[in-house]
Amino acid sequence: MNWGTELWDQYDNLAAHTHKGIEFLDKYGNFVRDRCAIELEYAGKLRRLVKSYQPKRKEEDEYQYSACKAFKQLLQELGDFAGQREVVAENLQSNVVRELHLLAKELREERKQHLSEGAKQVAVLNSAIGALDRARRAYERAARESERALETFQKADADLSLSRAELEKQKANVKARSQACEEAKQEYTDQLRKTNEAQRQHYEQRLPHVFKQLQDLDEKRIKNIKNFMLSSVDVERKVFPIIMQCLDGMELAANSINEKEDTQLVIERYKSGFVPPEDFRFEATSGGEMAEVAPQNHLTAARGTVSGHRIKKRGGLLSIFSSNKNNMSMDGKEDYSDLPPNQKKKKLQAKVHELNKQVAQEQAAMEGLMKMKGVYETNPTLGDPMTVEGQLNECCDKLKKLRAQLRKFEELLAEANSLVCAPPLHPASRTNGSAPPAQAISIGSNSESLSRSASESSVSTGTGTNACAAAGARVAGGSPESGLGGELAAAHDHANGHHHDHDHDDHDEHDAHDHESDMDYYYEPDLQPLGYCKALYAFEANGTGSTMRMECGEQLLVLETDAGDGWTRVRRRHTREEGFVPTTYIATTLYADAHDH
């Protein structure tokens, strides 16, 4: 297969074919270049996607669950996968695209040289053919002139009137024309031989050589396209093992998800340590609506509200719709007294562990400084021992502060352990023949109903210890949103109990017994209704314990009117469930005189 022999007469077509071949090479190079751009864009978008879904600092606590950890690991593997796509793009750019452009430039220059050589050979052949044509025309012209001279001589020879001199002149003319014709014939013959020789060399040697060079150029182009395609595949194949590792990592992350472990983590994270509320007691009444008499021993902290006294300010009510992590209030107290018992215990354990680590570090640093001081004292040339003295004093002071903090938090942890581990008192044992706690105000059959203002002042009518306990409940953050008032008051009451026992107060034995039984539970009287309302729309509670579900058309008792935050506190008549509902969802009717009602 040789273009020089098979395509000897297709010079123009071969020139066009090689031109199209180099254009196709450029086209393939542009394809690989655009693919590199797409790979880089894909990798960049994957990286932006991974970055946008990385856990934020405020979401770090959520990523202790196995599903969240698996998702975080998946994001990491996806980032590695994006890196491999970048590697593919870089290798294609360096190994394929750059080489393709260099090859196209080289082939274009070679083709130009070969076509220039071919054009030169064609010009040589055309020149020989032109010389042959000119020699042929000269020979034809000389032959015609020789024939005309001969005819003229024959006419003159036949004409007897011409002189002999005229006849000799015609004869000499015939001889000259005949000689010129022979010379033109000889020149034409020589040019014909040269032209034929040039034509044979052109079609048998020179032009086939040019065509062979063009053929080699085209085959080189085709072979390199093949190699570039194989190189592209090889670039992909080299990253496959790492991509498979990324996919295996994603699969391993998915298999690490354990729903049981996550369930246990939810329990550990949100368990408050409180006990469920006791049963409702039957309350005798002399008349009026049964729903308006409050159970005395209901632990309202389990409902998530504090009903022992009227809350004048409900700042932060709208925070029930925000993330209230671990059911903690926003005070962030150092001793974690604003947390439920179980959460407080966990925080204190973490704090003690952290302080132990800091103490161990400071002790190690002090030991190192002591050794350095000893070395300096043994060999003063190494350093002055007094330079270490200041560092030792600082380390000693820091260690004393850390140990003082450690003792403080260990005591708090011991107290929290005693509160959490204390066995709950059975409701029957608390109500069987024993008087209600001093914090609770019993409402008898003939007692006068309290208004909201009376309810506020009634808390202060107890004994000094109980009044302090109620005040402690307010200080400890017993807001309607926190749901911690009763339990925090119980903890405060527990602390007061120990203090009074230590100081030997003059309480009688019965009061001491009542106070002892009230260490773990805090009771408060229910608010008296200020009116009633009808639900204009249905409302679903958000699950935090502060809001209450209601159905359209439902009749509810109003305990607190809107304080400017858009919420009204209500109670169901029969189930005695309390909570907040949107003021715009109800039609409220207040009693003319709450005291008379």
Side-chain angles (χ1 to χ4, degrees):
M1 294 183 295
N2 193 329
W3 286 3
T5 57
E6 303 292 338
L7 303 175
W8 61 270
D9 58 344
Q10 300 297 320
Y11 176 82
D12 293 337
N13 288 333
L14 290 179
H17 171 75
T18 52
H19 175 69
K20 291 179 180 178
I22 295 176
E23 284 186 342
F24 176 77
L25 183 65
D26 287 332
K27 183 178 181 180
Y28 179 69
N30 294 335
F31 161 75
V32 180
R33 181 199 62 198
D34 293 343
R35 183 191 171 188
C36 291
I38 291 174
E39 290 282 0
L40 289 174
E41 182 183 5
Y42 176 52
K45 288 185 176 180
L46 281 181
R47 288 195 181 279
R48 287 194 295 272
L49 177 68
V50 170
K51 183 178 180 181
S52 64
Y53 280 89
Q54 285 291 341
K56 306 297 186 295
R57 181 171 297 178
K58 62 181 180 180
E59 299 174 344
E60 288 178 354
D61 289 343
E62 298 296 332
Y63 277 77
Q64 60 180 313
Y65 303 114
S66 62
C68 297
K69 289 180 179 179
F71 178 64
K72 187 176 180 180
Q73 181 64 26
L74 183 143
L75 291 177
Q76 182 178 351
E77 297 294 345
L78 189 59
D80 295 341
F81 176 84
Q84 295 309 306
R85 303 319 306 176
E86 290 175 345
V87 170
V88 169
E90 292 171 0
N91 291 339
L92 286 176
Q93 187 73 30
S94 60
N95 299 340
V96 178
V97 177
R98 187 175 294 110
E99 296 297 329
L100 267 170
H101 287 316
L102 291 176
L103 177 64
K105 182 179 180 181
E106 178 185 349
L107 294 180
R108 195 173 283 109
E109 291 177 355
E110 289 184 10
R111 174 180 176 275
K112 183 178 180 180
Q113 293 177 359
H114 299 330
L115 292 179
S116 176
E117 181 66 21
K120 182 178 179 181
Q121 297 301 326
V122 170
V124 170
L125 178 61
N126 291 334
S127 177
I129 293 174
L132 176 63
D133 188 57
R134 288 192 299 273
R136 180 179 58 78
R137 288 197 300 269
Y139 168 65
E140 290 176 352
R141 186 171 57 253
R144 286 195 299 271
E145 290 177 354
S146 178
E147 289 178 358
R148 283 198 299 269
L150 182 59
E151 290 177 358
T152 301
F153 173 72
Q154 288 176 353
K155 289 180 180 180
D157 188 38
D159 189 2
L160 298 177
S161 61
L162 290 176
S163 63
R164 188 170 183 83
E166 187 66 25
L167 185 63
E168 287 295 329
K169 184 179 178 181
Q170 292 296 331
K171 184 177 180 180
N173 187 33
V174 170
K175 184 178 179 181
R177 294 299 179 185
S178 297
Q179 186 178 356
C181 180
E182 287 295 328
E183 291 177 357
K185 180 180 180 182
Q186 184 63 36
E187 185 179 353
Y188 171 62
T189 302
D190 293 341
Q191 188 59 45
L192 180 62
R193 179 180 57 78
K194 293 178 181 179
T195 301
N196 288 333
E197 181 65 24
Q199 183 171 269
R200 281 194 302 270
Q201 289 182 356
H202 178 78
Y203 288 111
E204 293 178 3
Q205 296 179 9
R206 297 191 182 98
L207 195 60
H209 177 69
V210 174
F211 285 178
K212 182 65 169 60
Q213 289 178 325
L214 290 175
Q215 179 182 347
D216 293 342
L217 181 146
D218 197 60
E219 289 178 354
K220 178 181 179 181
R221 174 188 64 83
I222 297 171
K223 183 178 180 180
N224 277 280
I225 289 178
K226 171 187 174 182
N227 293 335
F228 286 137
M229 288 184 177
L230 292 176
S231 179
S232 301
V233 173
D234 189 54
V235 167
E236 290 266 5
R237 184 178 286 114
K238 284 181 179 178
V239 301
F240 270 1
I242 303 179
I243 290 178
M244 290 304 299
Q245 290 180 7
C246 296
L247 297 178
D248 292 340
M250 295 179 187
E251 183 179 7
L252 185 64
N255 290 330
S256 67
I257 298 177
N258 189 318
E259 65 278 7
K260 298 299 182 183
E261 290 182 1
D262 286 0
T263 301
Q264 183 61 33
L265 285 174
V266 173
I267 294 175
E268 294 176 0
R269 181 176 180 184
Y270 295 109
K271 183 179 179 181
S272 66
F274 296 137
V275 296
E278 65 180 31
D279 295 341
F280 289 95
R281 289 197 309 118
F282 176 78
E283 296 290 340
T285 181
S286 59
E289 294 186 7
M290 185 66 183
E292 296 181 15
V293 181
Q296 297 180 9
N297 296 332
H298 183 55
L299 186 61
T300 57
R303 290 202 305 255
T305 60
V306 178
S307 58
H309 56 281
R310 178 182 176 184
I311 306 300
K312 293 184 178 180
K313 182 179 180 181
R314 287 180 281 151
L317 175 63
L318 297 180
S319 65
I320 59 178
F321 294 108
S322 62
S323 174
N324 197 7
K325 185 167 56 178
N326 289 343
N327 199 22
M328 293 189 298
S329 67
M330 302 306 292
D331 296 335
K333 296 184 178 179
E334 183 181 1
D335 58 354
Y336 307 112
S337 60
D338 55 340
L339 297 179
N342 204 63
Q343 303 300 325
K344 177 181 178 181
K345 177 182 174 183
K346 289 176 60 179
K347 290 289 185 180
L348 288 173
Q349 287 175 342
K351 186 67 175 179
V352 168
H353 179 69
E354 179 186 353
L355 289 173
N356 278 322
K357 287 176 61 177
Q358 294 179 5
V359 168
Q361 291 176 357
E362 290 298 325
Q363 286 178 341
M366 178 174 280
E367 291 175 1
L369 291 173
M370 292 294 292
K371 290 180 181 179
M372 185 181 298
K373 182 179 179 183
V375 171
Y376 288 171
E377 290 175 347
T378 305
N379 190 356
T381 59
L382 297 177
D384 185 5
M386 298 305 296
T387 59
V388 188
E389 192 69 28
Q391 299 179 18
L392 275 173
N393 293 334
E394 290 182 9
C395 191
C396 185
D397 294 340
K398 191 173 182 181
L399 193 59
K400 287 180 181 179
K401 293 179 181 179
L402 287 175
R403 284 174 175 166
Q405 287 185 351
L406 181 60
R407 285 193 299 271
K408 171 187 173 183
F409 281 98
E410 284 177 344
E411 292 173 0
L412 291 173
L413 179 60
E415 181 181 354
N417 285 332
S418 65
L419 289 175
V420 173
C421 298
L425 190 62
H426 194 274
S429 66
R430 296 198 305 270
T431 59
N432 186 11
S434 63
Q439 289 89 337
I441 300 177
S442 59
I443 303 176
S445 60
N446 57 355
S447 63
E448 183 180 357
S449 299
L450 298 178
S451 65
R452 289 169 63 121
S453 59
S455 174
E456 293 175 4
S457 61
S458 65
V459 179
S460 62
T461 61
T463 63
T465 304
N466 297 333
C468 290
R474 291 191 294 271
V475 172
S479 64
E481 297 84 357
S482 66
L484 306 177
E487 287 74 7
L488 294 174
H492 182 82
D493 208 17
H494 177 71
N496 288 339
H498 283 294
H499 176 74
H500 288 296
D501 290 343
H502 180 72
D503 293 342
H504 303 285
D505 282 346
D506 295 332
H507 290 296
D508 59 11
E509 185 176 357
H510 179 70
D511 292 338
H513 175 72
D514 288 343
H515 187 72
E516 178 97 17
S517 65
D518 230 8
M519 287 167 58
D520 296 320
Y521 296 89
Y522 173 65
Y523 303 93
E524 60 275 349
D526 288 348
L527 293 177
Q528 297 305 308
L530 302 178
Y532 60 91
C533 66
K534 180 180 180 181
L536 302 177
Y537 313 100
F539 175 70
E540 292 293 334
N542 63 357
T544 63
S546 296
T547 57
M548 187 179 78
R549 182 185 62 83
M550 66 179 179
E551 302 292 340
C552 182
E554 186 176 2
Q555 296 282 345
L556 303 168
L557 297 175
V558 177
L559 301 182
E560 289 184 11
T561 57
D562 191 344
D565 51 14
W567 296 87
T568 300
R569 187 173 178 178
V570 298
R571 177 195 297 157
R572 281 198 171 84
R573 292 178 179 272
H574 303 296
T575 63
R576 309 193 63 79
E577 180 184 0
E578 295 181 8
F580 291 93
V581 296
T583 304
T584 56
Y585 280 45
I586 57 176
T588 305
T589 302
L590 299 178
Y591 300 132
D593 188 353
H595 293 277
D596 294 341
H597 183 75

